[in-house]
Amino acid sequence: MAVNVEAAAARILCGFLGKLLVLLLGLLSLTSDSLRVEMAGDTQTVLLNHTATISCKVPGSSHLNITSMGVTWVWKNPVNGTGHKVFEFYGKHRKAFRPGASVSLQGLAKGDASLQLPGIQLKEAGEYRCKVVNTPDKGQGTVFLEVVALPVSIFVEEAKAKDNDDQCLWCKASGFFPKAINITWYKWSQNSQYLEISEGVTTNSAIENEDNTFNVTSSLRLKHYPEHNVTYQCMVQHISLSTPWRGNITLPENGSEAKSGSWKLVWIVALCLGVPVLTAPIFWKRYHCCKRTLNKHTYRRRDSESLRL
């Protein structure tokens, strides 16, 4: 009988402890997520070499005591998935694990735990986790940082095809990231609008540079007898460009290059003939001046010799 009582008491105690443990775990889970943290969407985009400001805010906090607060930023390597601390602050302790990483303490007192990373690089793209503690509450949020690079140069030019007399228009973009880019060719029509061209267009695969940016070249071949005095346009679209880049080129009228070359020849001949003609009077005047001076010296020397005799 005593054994049954002890067993019953043990079961009651175990049940009580089990319920207490569940209650404690529930309280801990509420405490861990009791602080609401807001990020600026799922993805943020920043330009290469610019200052990245990764937003992390505690809404509804007008004034907080930072002595009882803490914030930790962790970057997740997209290649191997490992986490690396970028910045942490709690109490009087503040440490930047990445050079230049910072969180404004004045902003933190107002619930703004945004992280600033000056001179952001392509390799620093990935997931960033913001953990904020306002004792006894805490919360966290994540955002993916996308780093893009503007093309350092985009231009369109005219060239001759290597294998025949066809004319080619080249459109080149370099130093951009990510790799995805779209190049489209257009022709200005008589109806005062640009019409897309697909025939004769060749766009090479983007080539990667040493700094992980890319270059690409697109060509438009104008076969047979291309129209002259016509405007062609190259349009480049990339995620780093707020608006598409457009470059125009107009083929000159037939014979314009020959006329240009003829005029160059005329100018050369004119200079060759004109310079001597224009400078002849100056040299003639100087010649007579030097001759008179020489004669004077000659007469003076003769007079001095006659006096000595």
Side-chain angles (χ1 to χ4, degrees):
M1 187 67 180
V3 175
N4 294 334
V5 172
E6 291 179 358
R11 285 195 297 269
I12 294 173
L13 180 60
C14 288
F16 175 78
L17 291 176
K19 292 179 179 180
L20 181 62
L21 180 60
V22 171
L23 180 61
L24 289 174
L25 290 176
L27 290 174
L28 289 175
S29 63
L30 288 174
T31 301
S32 62
D33 296 329
S34 59
L35 193 66
R36 189 161 62 97
V37 174
E38 288 186 353
M39 313 298 285
D42 297 328
T43 303
Q44 278 190 237
T45 303
V46 63
L47 290 175
L48 174 67
N49 295 321
H50 285 222
T51 296
T53 301
I54 311 176
S55 179
C56 176
K57 297 182 179 181
V58 180
S61 302
S62 59
H63 183 73
L64 299 173
N65 183 7
I66 62 174
T67 59
S68 60
M69 289 189 64
V71 57
T72 303
W73 278 93
V74 178
W75 169 69
K76 185 178 180 180
N77 191 320
V79 178
N80 53 30
T82 58
H84 302 272
K85 280 187 179 181
V86 179
F87 178 88
E88 68 177 7
F89 165 81
Y90 53 87
K92 296 182 179 181
H93 172 77
R94 179 167 50 176
K95 184 175 182 179
F97 298 88
R98 187 267 197 195
S102 64
V103 171
S104 171
L105 298 186
Q106 291 80 3
L108 187 59
K110 299 177 182 179
D112 188 353
S114 299
L115 175 68
Q116 289 194 340
L117 300 175
I120 195 73
Q121 298 299 302
L122 296 176
K123 62 182 180 181
E124 295 182 283
E127 182 185 274
Y128 284 80
R129 183 178 300 273
C130 173
K131 300 179 180 179
V132 181
V133 176
N134 186 23
T135 308
D137 302 325
K138 59 182 178 180
Q140 62 181 349
T142 60
V143 65
F144 188 87
L145 184 68
E146 184 178 35
V147 183
V148 301
L150 279 166
V152 295
S153 69
I154 310 178
F155 63 91
V156 58
E157 64 180 0
E158 177 189 1
K160 292 288 185 180
K162 295 182 179 180
D163 53 348
N164 51 39
D165 292 333
D166 291 350
Q167 284 183 297
C168 278
L169 303 181
W170 296 89
C171 189
K172 301 180 181 180
S174 60
F176 58 88
F177 186 90
K179 182 178 180 179
I181 195 170
N182 186 44
I183 299 180
T184 313
W185 288 92
Y186 295 90
K187 172 185 172 183
W188 184 255
S189 68
Q190 296 179 352
N191 297 327
S192 299
Q193 60 180 351
Y194 279 104
L195 301 177
E196 184 175 349
I197 302 174
S198 57
E199 184 179 359
V201 175
T202 302
T203 302
N204 300 332
S205 299
I207 300 174
E208 188 173 6
N209 301 317
E210 293 183 358
D211 61 355
N212 296 326
T213 61
F214 294 90
N215 301 338
V216 70
T217 301
S218 180
S219 63
L220 171 61
R221 173 167 289 196
L222 307 174
K223 296 182 178 180
H224 306 302
Y225 301 97
E227 301 177 71
H228 290 76
N229 201 24
V230 174
T231 299
Y232 294 88
Q233 183 182 89
C234 169
M235 184 177 73
V236 179
Q237 294 174 296
H238 189 255
I239 189 174
S240 64
L241 299 170
S242 57
T243 57
W245 179 90
R246 302 174 188 271
N248 295 337
I249 185 170
T250 302
L251 295 182
E253 295 182 358
N254 289 323
S256 61
E257 293 183 0
K259 291 179 181 179
S260 176
S262 301
W263 277 110
K264 290 180 180 178
L265 180 61
V266 170
W267 276 107
I268 292 173
V269 174
L271 287 173
C272 292
L273 296 177
V275 170
V277 172
L278 293 174
T279 57
I282 299 174
F283 284 106
W284 184 256
K285 184 176 181 180
R286 289 188 176 181
Y287 168 74
H288 282 282
C289 180
C290 292
K291 186 176 181 180
R292 286 195 298 270
T293 303
L294 181 62
N295 291 336
K296 288 181 180 179
H297 284 291
T298 303
Y299 291 146
R300 289 177 181 175
R301 188 177 60 183
R302 288 178 180 177
D303 292 340
S304 61
E305 289 177 356
S306 62
L307 290 174
R308 284 199 300 270
L309 293 174

